[in-house]
Amino acid sequence: FLNLVPPTGLEVLVAGVIYFGLYTSRYQEIGQLPEHYRVTFYASCGWALYSYASLVHVMAGSSAGEGPAEAFHGAACTV
C-alpha cells in the first residue's frame, strides 16, 4: 500500500475469502432484523462487492481498459 504496488493474487484471494466468510456467516440472521437494518446490510454487501471488484481491477486490469477485470468492476458499479 505505501509503495503503491498492486496487490498480489494471494492477497486478492484472502480478501475474497474473508469477505465471503463474513457476509455468508451473517446472511441467515438477516431475516430476524427490522427492515431498516436489513436494507443497511444489503447496502453493505453491495459496497463490499464493489471494493472487492476494485481490488481485482487494480491487480488484473489492463491499460487498454478491456478484459474480465474491467467487466467485473463495471458490473459491480451497477450494483
Side-chain angles (χ1 to χ4, degrees), residues 38 43 79:
R38 281 185 264 162
V79 172

Side-chain angles (χ1 to χ4, degrees), residues 4-68:
L4 300 178
V5 177
T8 64
L10 179 61
E11 291 170 325
V12 171
L13 178 65
V14 168
V17 168
I18 290 171
Y19 276 141
F20 183 77
L22 176 65
Y23 284 96
T24 55
S25 69
R26 304 292 187 261
Y27 196 77
Q28 294 178 350
E29 302 168 1
I30 296 307
Q32 301 169 0
L33 294 174
E35 187 174 339
H36 168 74
Y37 294 109
R38 281 185 264 162
V39 170
T40 303
F41 174 78
Y42 295 133
S44 70
C45 288
W47 281 111
L49 176 67
Y50 177 73
S51 66
Y52 184 70
S54 295
L55 188 66
V56 170
H57 185 253
V58 167
M59 180 198 75
S62 72
S63 60
E66 302 171 348

